[in-house]
């Protein structure tokens, strides 16, 4: 369903955050980003101030979308792992639970083999968190629609955004 | 698909600028970029050919301030307008929350406008969206050109659900922010309904 929004609550955010931090340590990576397939950053860990994180998220999603398109053209469902090799830094991209993208930036302190191994393990854990997140989002939408802070947005609130 | 992050108290929405090639989609984004305070915008990314034609997309993250304690972010994207980039256009519509259609007012581009709206409708449908219900604004760009068709005629031909419609000259900024506001408002109103 296209209109299902992604809702991230504190509890899942903390679990994802922990998972990313652990993966970053185990894979000896510079930075790790978890990105929604539409290009929104969900969580991140590592040397974040070294990167333009918003641009990274958007370009990564574009990259994955284009590669998905290529996969379908040749009859594959998807390419679940992408690897970009640079002189100093490298990027490992993988798909988590169909809707998110895990981006790992690493240098000579790590290796592709190590990153692949650790990502595989972390992937499973993150998929669980995503399942919980989706279930919670669906339940929340059905059980307590009035609980959304946006149900009370007024026209004045919206106008205030554009008041400058 | 709106992304609501309760942990960092942010709402993220995606707006896509659609329309025929050389209609002014990128120019809309460039104007918004130039006129927005540095703290309210991120870097603008243009994946373009050497001749400055959009190859994949332009991207501009905008921070509009907060609403009910949630930082409201809009990610603006353009699609490549040239007909043969259809595969790329489809990809960019993934997870879209609202669409701006930038029509070229020139008489010789009328066919291209009509074809592009049809293409938009089709590509939205492939993602499970309906142009009739998605937040949507229409812009008649290049109103300053001598070959521009009368607004009433453009309206009759291109407006189909009484969507908010604006006359624009994207190079000088006329109508650019009005169009953006119109679609952003509809997205936030949608959010209220959920």
């Amino acid at each position: 369903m296209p209109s299902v929004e992604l809702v991230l609550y504190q509890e899942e955010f903390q679990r994802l955050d922990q998972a990313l931090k652990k993966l970053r340590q185990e894979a000896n990576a510079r930075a790790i980003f978890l990105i929604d397939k539409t290009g929104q950053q969900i969580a991140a860990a590592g040397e974040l101030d070294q990167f333009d994180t918003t641009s990274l998220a958007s370009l990564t999603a574009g990259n994955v979308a284009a590669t998905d398109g290529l996969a379908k053209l040749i009859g594959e469902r998807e390419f679940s792992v992408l690897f970009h090799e640079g002189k100093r830094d490298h990027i490992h991209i993988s798909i988590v639970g169909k809707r998110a993208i895990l981006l790992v930036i690493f240098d000579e302190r790590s290796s592709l083999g190590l990153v692949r191994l650790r990502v595989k393990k972390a992937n499973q854990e993150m998929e669980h968190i995503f399942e919980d997140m989706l279930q919670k989002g669906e339940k929340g939408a059905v059980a307590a629609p009035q609980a959304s802070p946006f149900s009370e947005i007024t026209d004045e609130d919206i106008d205030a955004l554009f008041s400058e | 698909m709106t992304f609501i992050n309760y942990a960092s108290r942010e709402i993220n929405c995606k707006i896509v600028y659609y329309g025929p090639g050389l209609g002014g989609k990128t120019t809309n984004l460039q104007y918004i970029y130039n006129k927005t305070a540095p703290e309210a915008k991120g870097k603008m990314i243009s994946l373009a050919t050497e001749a400055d034609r959009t190859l994949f997309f332009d991207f501009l993250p905008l921070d509009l301030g907060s609403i009910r304690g949630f930082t409201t972010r809009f990610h603006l994207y353009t699609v490549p307008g040239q007909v043969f980039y259809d595969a790329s256009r489809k990809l960019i519509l993934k997870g879209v929350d609202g669409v701006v259609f930038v029509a070229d007012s020139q008489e010789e581009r009328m066919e291209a406008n009509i074809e592009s709206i049809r293409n938009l409708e089709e590509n939205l449908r492939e993602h499970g969206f309906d142009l009739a219900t998605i937040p949507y604004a229409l812009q008649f760009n290049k109103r300053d050109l001598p070959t521009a068709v009368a607004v009433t005629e453009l309206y009759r031909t291109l407006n189909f659900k009484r969507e908010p419609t604006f006359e624009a000259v994207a190079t000088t900024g006329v109508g650019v922010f009005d169009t953006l506001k119109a679609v952003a408002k509809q997205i936030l109103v949608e959010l209220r309904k959920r």
Side-chain angles (χ1 to χ4, degrees):
Chain A
M1 285 296 290
S3 59
V4 173
E5 62 203 8
L6 184 64
V7 180
L8 181 60
Y9 294 100
Q10 190 73 33
E11 188 192 341
E12 281 73 28
F13 177 76
Q14 269 162 0
R15 286 169 67 194
L16 287 171
D17 192 51
Q18 283 306 316
L20 289 193
K21 281 187 177 132
K22 193 169 129 203
L23 173 59
R24 194 235 166 176
Q25 210 170 25
E26 289 182 349
N28 225 355
R30 286 189 66 194
I32 297 185
F33 298 87
L34 190 64
I35 298 158
D36 178 70
K37 273 196 172 175
T38 66
Q40 320 271 14
Q41 182 185 308
I42 299 169
E47 304 167 15
L48 305 183
D49 51 349
Q50 302 291 311
F51 304 101
D52 174 352
T53 56
T54 312
S55 300
L56 258 178
S58 154
L59 285 176
T60 302
N63 194 343
V64 167
T67 314
D68 269 358
L70 281 176
K72 292 202 175 75
L73 280 182
I74 65 160
E76 279 288 329
R77 200 171 62 82
E78 66 178 13
F79 294 123
S80 53
V81 172
L82 314 178
F83 174 57
H84 299 304
E85 187 175 347
K87 263 192 185 148
R88 265 196 344 262
D89 294 298
H90 322 293
I91 286 178
H92 182 281
I93 296 172
S94 56
I95 309 296
V96 184
K98 285 189 189 145
R99 70 182 297 166
I101 304 164
L102 186 66
L103 173 77
V104 180
I105 303 176
F106 63 99
D107 57 18
E108 75 284 351
R109 286 172 291 178
S110 185
S111 68
L112 178 58
L114 180 67
V115 170
R116 283 191 76 138
L117 183 74
R118 299 303 189 201
V119 161
K120 222 173 196 173
K121 205 175 112 195
N123 234 323
Q124 292 173 346
E125 189 187 345
M126 277 187 248
E127 276 184 29
H128 283 307
I129 304 174
F130 264 95
E131 276 166 28
D132 292 347
M133 211 167 119
L134 287 178
Q135 274 177 4
K136 209 168 174 177
E138 279 164 21
K139 265 191 216 153
V142 176
Q146 74 278 17
S148 161
F150 310 109
S151 57
E152 288 168 14
I153 291 178
T154 61
D155 289 345
E156 287 75 33
D157 285 336
I158 295 174
D159 285 333
L161 274 186
F162 299 102
S163 57
E164 74 326 325
Chain B
M1 186 202 57
T2 321
F3 173 32
I4 305 174
N5 189 337
Y6 281 88
S8 57
R9 297 190 77 75
E10 285 173 9
I11 323 170
N12 289 295
C13 309
K14 178 172 179 177
I15 297 174
V16 174
Y17 281 68
Y18 214 90
L22 291 176
K25 300 175 289 296
T26 302
T27 311
N28 262 270
L29 254 67
Q30 273 163 347
Y31 185 82
I32 294 165
Y33 179 81
N34 290 336
K35 290 293 168 187
T36 306
E39 63 275 14
K41 68 186 174 193
K43 205 168 143 193
M44 178 164 165
I45 292 175
S46 287
L47 302 180
T49 66
E50 280 178 11
D52 268 343
R53 301 296 305 269
T54 304
L55 179 64
F56 194 7
F57 58 78
D58 304 300
F59 168 69
L60 173 60
L62 273 190
D63 192 339
L64 283 188
S66 80
I67 199 163
R68 300 270 150 164
F70 278 73
T71 303
T72 313
R73 292 225 167 86
F74 287 94
H75 287 182
L76 312 188
Y77 285 83
T78 66
V79 297
Q82 294 177 87
V83 176
F84 57 88
Y85 286 135
D86 195 41
S88 307
R89 272 195 295 279
K90 259 180 225 168
L91 299 176
I92 293 152
L93 284 175
K94 194 184 185 88
V96 67
D97 292 300
V99 178
V100 169
F101 188 88
V102 181
D104 191 326
S105 291
Q106 298 176 92
E107 186 156 19
E108 64 267 29
R109 297 300 284 162
M110 281 301 267
E111 273 304 313
N113 289 327
I114 294 166
E115 192 191 338
S116 181
I117 288 188
R118 250 187 236 137
N119 176 254
L120 167 64
E121 207 174 355
E122 227 174 86
N123 284 342
L124 280 173
R125 206 178 304 127
E126 276 194 34
H127 285 289
F129 296 112
D130 184 355
L131 185 56
T133 51
I134 198 166
Y136 180 58
L138 176 62
Q139 182 185 86
F140 300 148
N141 192 24
K142 309 195 186 182
R143 293 310 302 159
D144 57 330
L145 295 187
T147 49
V149 175
V151 170
T152 45
E153 193 184 329
L154 282 169
Y155 194 90
R156 201 171 45 235
T157 318
L158 302 176
N159 186 297
F160 77 99
K161 59 165 183 177
R162 296 194 179 168
E163 65 271 17
T165 303
F166 301 89
E167 293 182 47
V169 184
T171 45
T172 59
V174 176
V176 168
F177 274 98
D178 293 334
T179 315
L180 171 63
K181 283 176 195 173
V183 75
K185 271 190 186 182
Q186 290 175 59
I187 293 172
L188 293 171
V189 168
E190 275 296 307
L191 206 59
R192 178 165 63 186
K193 285 187 201 156
R194 285 184 198 148

